[in-house]
Amino acid sequence: MSIRDIEERLRFFGLDERQRRILRASRPILERCIGPALDHFYARAGATPETARFFRDEAHRKSARAAQVRHWMHIVDARFDAGYHDSVRRIGSVHARIGLEPRWYIGAYALILEEIFRAVDRSRSPFQRLLRRGGSGEMAAALAKAALMDMDLSISIYFEEAAAERNQAIASLDGALVRLARGDLDRDVSGLPVAFTSLERSYNQTLANLRDTIGSVVRASGTIQDGAHDIAQTSEDLARRMESNAAALEQAAVTLGEVEGRVKNTATGARETLTIADEARTAMEQGKHGASDAVHTMHMVNDSARNIDTVIEGVDKIAFQTRVLAMNAAVEAGRAGEAGRGFAVVADLVRALAMRAEEEAQKAREGLSATQSEIAVAVEAVARVDDALTGAAVKFDRVHALIAQMTRDNAAQSNAISEINMVVGTMDRATQQNASMIEKASVAAQSLHDDATSLARQAGRFNVGQQLPTPVAAR
């Protein structure tokens, strides 16, 4: 806005020299009515929340009122020179700076002009006499044109100032956005016009939040990188150990299979041994019964031998009595003489037969005595055999019980080893599956590490004014 712009408006509004004289002539009226008009306006402005907030206190209102009085005096002076231009520019700049919308400015002029026109109307007759040719209508028209032109100039300056502030704000924000596009988050926006204070505060708060977010992203990316690398390394180590464990479990399963086969063979041998032991036990029982029968038979033979000895003793007695009878018969035959010769011969034969019977009985007794001695020895031997068989049977029962226990233990061990072998097989399969899953987890951790590296590299392009961890390449 310049003096030339004011002159153009004066021509367009038709404010020629004649109407300027009318304006200057209205000064006395304006001096009387401008005070009450402004009081009416400020009372309305103070009661309206949208306009009351532009005044800090009563002193501020008085200062604004005095400035408006001076400006209205500039208007009715009708010079419209540099002083008027400075006053209009100052008013428009203040309104733009404080954000007073034109609608309130126009409303203020409406209230003030209302009071001014009433004052002009009240002073009609004196002005008619003074001007002789004009009336109150011409003065009101001149005042209306001047006020509307002043309003136009103030609003134009308001828009110019607002446009300048807007352009300044846009330029500042454009520079800030250029820095933001380049990744520079370290510089806040400052110095924006008052109307853009909220925008400046919001942008700077957004920038601060973005700095915190990017910084957190970079730091979190570094932490994720380290964690993912550790997870990947741990997964690789664990996968190797799982593979080694799987191989060991597989070897253990093979070894347990061999042990299981051997234990089963041992269990089978133990069962066969138990069967043979049962057969030997049966044979020993039979031998024991045979030895007992032999002992019993020997005792019966010994008893029979004692009976034979009694018979031999009776035969020996009969032979002795027969020999005694033969001797008696020989004595009697000797007494008989020739007549008893034949009887004597018979007596001699009977005596010889008796003596021979005694000799044979003696031999039988001697043989029987030897047989009895041998039978006694045999009885003792068979008894010892029976005792030995009895002791062996007791020990064999113990051996049989031990073999039976071993058979049961071997069967239990075989079953236990079979179950262990099954468990080891299951563990082997589970270990292989775990190794596969760990390998997948390692691949996922490496992928996470790569993603975190890429994210940290992207976030690292921003300058947030802090020393952040440097993104590292995937390891």
Side-chain angles (χ1 to χ4, degrees):
M1 178 67 64
S2 63
I3 297 296
R4 185 176 179 179
D5 294 326
I6 295 176
E7 291 175 354
E8 290 179 354
R9 281 173 170 76
L10 287 172
R11 286 193 298 271
F12 185 82
F13 275 78
L15 282 169
D16 53 13
E17 185 59 33
R18 178 175 173 277
Q19 288 195 339
R20 292 186 191 183
R21 285 196 303 270
I22 295 174
L23 282 175
R24 283 191 287 271
S26 67
R27 184 182 180 92
I29 300 174
L30 197 66
E31 287 177 346
R32 288 194 304 271
C33 72
I34 191 64
L38 290 175
D39 290 339
H40 175 66
F41 161 69
Y42 280 108
R44 180 71 59 82
T48 304
E50 290 84 351
T51 54
R53 63 185 179 88
F54 292 108
F55 303 102
R56 294 188 299 273
D57 49 29
E58 185 63 28
H60 188 203
R61 274 195 295 273
K62 288 181 179 180
S63 175
R65 181 179 181 281
Q68 283 219 23
V69 169
R70 288 192 299 270
H71 184 67
W72 277 100
M73 292 303 104
H74 275 296
I75 293 174
V76 295
D77 282 344
R79 288 194 296 268
F80 302 113
D81 55 5
Y84 172 74
H85 175 268
D86 293 339
S87 179
V88 170
R89 177 164 293 280
R90 184 171 56 255
I91 292 172
S93 298
V94 169
H95 291 173
R97 186 178 68 252
I98 66 176
L100 179 65
E101 297 177 9
R103 63 188 177 114
W104 303 116
Y105 189 60
I106 294 171
Y109 267 72
L111 294 173
I112 294 171
L113 285 174
E114 179 185 10
E115 295 298 326
I116 292 174
F117 290 157
R118 287 176 179 174
V120 170
D121 185 64
R122 285 194 299 271
S123 63
R124 177 173 41 184
S125 296
F127 270 94
Q128 284 177 347
R129 287 191 297 272
L130 179 63
L131 296 175
R132 292 181 183 178
R133 292 184 301 178
S136 61
E138 292 184 346
M139 183 177 291
L143 285 170
K145 287 183 179 180
L148 289 174
M149 186 188 74
D150 183 74
M151 188 189 309
D152 172 41
L153 292 172
S154 297
I155 292 175
S156 297
I157 293 172
Y158 173 90
F159 285 129
E160 286 181 3
E161 292 292 330
E165 290 182 353
R166 183 171 61 253
N167 292 335
Q168 177 190 353
I170 291 174
S172 298
L173 288 175
D174 181 64
L177 290 174
V178 169
R179 293 193 298 273
L180 181 62
R182 293 173 180 171
D184 184 6
L185 308 180
D186 191 30
R187 292 176 58 186
D188 290 344
V189 173
S190 61
L192 292 185
V194 176
F196 296 89
T197 301
S198 175
L199 179 61
E200 175 182 319
R201 183 169 54 253
S202 299
Y203 178 85
N204 291 336
Q205 183 61 46
T206 301
L207 198 64
N209 294 338
L210 191 57
R211 277 197 298 267
D212 293 340
T213 301
I214 296 298
S216 300
V217 167
V218 174
R219 286 187 291 271
S221 298
T223 303
I224 293 173
Q225 282 180 289
D226 295 337
H229 177 266
D230 294 339
I231 292 172
Q233 187 65 42
T234 303
S235 297
E236 289 177 3
D237 295 340
L238 184 57
R240 286 193 295 269
R241 287 195 295 270
M242 291 296 287
E243 289 176 359
S244 177
N245 291 340
L249 281 172
E250 185 176 1
Q251 183 62 37
V254 173
T255 304
L256 279 173
E258 294 176 355
V259 172
E260 181 183 9
R262 293 173 183 173
V263 170
K264 286 182 177 178
N265 292 336
T266 302
T268 302
R271 286 194 295 271
E272 293 177 356
T273 302
L274 182 62
T275 301
I276 295 171
D278 287 335
E279 294 174 355
R281 182 181 181 188
T282 301
M284 183 168 288
E285 290 290 340
Q286 293 175 354
K288 182 180 178 183
H289 289 307
S292 298
D293 293 341
V295 170
H296 181 67
T297 302
M298 288 297 180
H299 283 296
M300 291 177 64
V301 171
N302 191 26
D303 293 338
S304 297
R306 290 195 184 93
N307 294 330
I308 293 171
D309 183 62
T310 303
V311 172
I312 293 173
E313 184 178 358
V315 171
D316 186 46
K317 289 180 179 179
I318 293 171
F320 175 73
Q321 291 177 356
T322 302
R323 187 168 58 84
V324 173
L325 287 176
M327 288 177 63
N328 292 331
V331 173
E332 290 297 330
R335 288 180 182 172
E338 193 64 28
R341 181 179 300 277
F343 188 72
V345 173
V346 174
D348 288 338
L349 291 174
V350 172
R351 186 180 60 211
L353 181 59
M355 290 179 65
R356 186 176 177 182
E358 286 181 353
E359 291 175 358
E360 292 299 330
Q362 185 60 36
K363 291 178 182 180
R365 183 179 289 110
E366 291 176 356
L368 183 59
S369 295
T371 299
Q372 285 181 333
S373 299
E374 293 174 356
I375 289 173
V377 172
V379 169
E380 291 178 358
V382 172
R384 286 195 299 272
V385 170
D386 183 61
D387 293 338
L389 287 174
T390 301
V394 173
K395 294 179 180 179
F396 204 85
D397 287 340
R398 178 59 178 165
V399 171
H400 182 275
L402 292 175
I403 292 174
Q405 184 63 41
M406 288 173 61
T407 302
R408 290 192 294 272
D409 292 342
N410 285 335
Q413 289 177 1
S414 177
N415 293 332
I417 291 176
S418 296
E419 293 177 358
I420 292 173
N421 195 22
M422 292 175 60
V423 171
V424 170
T426 303
M427 290 176 62
D428 182 28
R429 291 189 294 273
T431 302
Q432 292 177 356
Q433 293 174 354
N434 290 340
S436 176
M437 293 174 65
I438 290 171
E439 186 176 357
K440 292 180 181 178
S442 178
V443 173
Q446 186 62 42
S447 176
L448 177 62
H449 180 274
D450 295 340
D451 292 341
T453 301
S454 176
L455 178 61
R457 188 180 297 109
Q458 293 294 327
R461 296 188 300 109
F462 294 93
N463 173 26
V464 297
Q466 303 176 21
Q467 187 64 34
L468 297 174
T470 303
V472 296
R475 291 170 280 185

